[in-house]
Amino acid sequence: MRITRFKTPTASEITPEAIYLKRREFMAAGATLGAMGLSPSSWAAPSQLNADGPAAPPWLQNKIAHAKPGKALSEALTPYKDATHYNNFYEFGYDKSDPAAKANTLKPHPWQVEIAGEVAKPGKFNLEDLLAGVDLEERIYRLRCVEAWSMVLPWVGFPLVDLLKRFEPTSKAKYVAFTTLEDKQQMPEQKSALSTIRWPYSEGLRIDEATHPLCILAVGLYGRALPNQNGAPLRLVVPWKYGFKSIKSIVKITLMEQQPKTSWSQIAPKEYGFFANVNPKVDHPRWSQAKERRLPNSLLNPNIVATTPFNGYGEEVASLYAGMDLTRYF
Ligand SMILES: Nc1nc2c(c(=O)[nH]1)N[C@H]1C(S)=C(S)[C@@H](COP(=O)(O)O)O[C@H]1N2
Ligand SMILES: [Mo]
């Protein structure tokens, strides 16, 4: 029998997780060095590596490299490969593998975002200007899709409320609407006559949900810029709601007095409500929501776990819905 004690990792073993975990070690060491007044130069050397498309611009890579590390969950992170190859992004097709295979047509840089509606200071901004002065942080969140699968993902982003405040919402701002890019060249499925979604993909939140500190805009995943298939360059992440609320590749944020129309509640209002809070007690009309399949899983390891109210964030967010009948407002 041959026993290999030490071996150098092969290229395929240097995974994005390995790089990510290494960086977390650096960051932890850096925090200690920082407290002693030293700054490790290794911080400022973000990897140029981006397996899923051209590298993000240096200003963004640098900002992401300096994100404040987040608190780990007790659950294991979903491997990078699953996080970036099992996606829903219908602008690129309906199979889970379509976004990774086809989203290379999306051009996330340069990018502009319009802030409109009930704000004192509306406007259209370059992503870089929008992020100027914003401190990025890592947030490790569960993502629960309405289709009853889930992941644990390390996002890099910032609270949406920090952005909204800068544009001074008026007293009439009761809701926030979000719109994804509409561009048939960059998002080929938008050409299809068979599509059930009325483009652009749109979502919305009540203002108290949008300004809750757990609600973030993400620009990164696993310590690097968002891959196109995960919603580059800017997407919403609302961890206590079904994944379809976490809209990708945002080009417009509109503060509104009335509740906005949203893509899924227009397609099938009896199946997908405006609120879409994760709720094991309110089943989808065609399947149970009591359990979920935590990726990665296999035939031998189905990895089925119980779904928890508000996806485990009830302590933080349940008060937003006090007195509401959640079977009616699902
Ligand atoms: N624009 C847009 N955003 C979207 C979707 C989409 O099809 N288009 N799918 C949603 C759904 S159903 C889920 S579960 C999550 C998946 O995010 P992920 O692929 O990064 O895991 O994105 C959401 N955001
Ligand atoms: Mo989803």
Side-chain angles (χ1 to χ4, degrees), residues 20-37:
Y20 166 85
L21 292 169
K22 201 82 212 143
R23 247 198 85 237
R24 276 182 78 90
E25 278 173 35
F26 272 133
M27 298 297 275
T32 321
L33 290 172
M36 299 190 298

Side-chain angles (χ1 to χ4, degrees), residues 14 42 54 163 201 298:
I14 307 173
S42 50
L163 184 98
Y201 191 102
S298 64

Side-chain angles (χ1 to χ4, degrees), residues 83 86-91 143-147 149 151 153 155 180 187 197 199 201 221 229-231 235 242-249 264:
Y86 189 93
N87 301 101
N88 279 333
F89 201 168
Y90 294 121
E91 286 85 340
L143 176 93
R144 169 54 157 92
C145 177
V146 75
E147 300 160 341
W149 52 264
M151 302 192 186
L153 302 172
W155 302 107
T180 293
M187 298 181 152
I197 299 178
W199 312 109
Y201 191 102
L221 174 67
Q229 60 265 39
N230 293 90
R235 57 109 35 103
Y242 290 120
F244 66 83
K245 299 295 286 184
S246 293
I247 182 172
K248 297 175 170 182
S249 306
W264 286 101

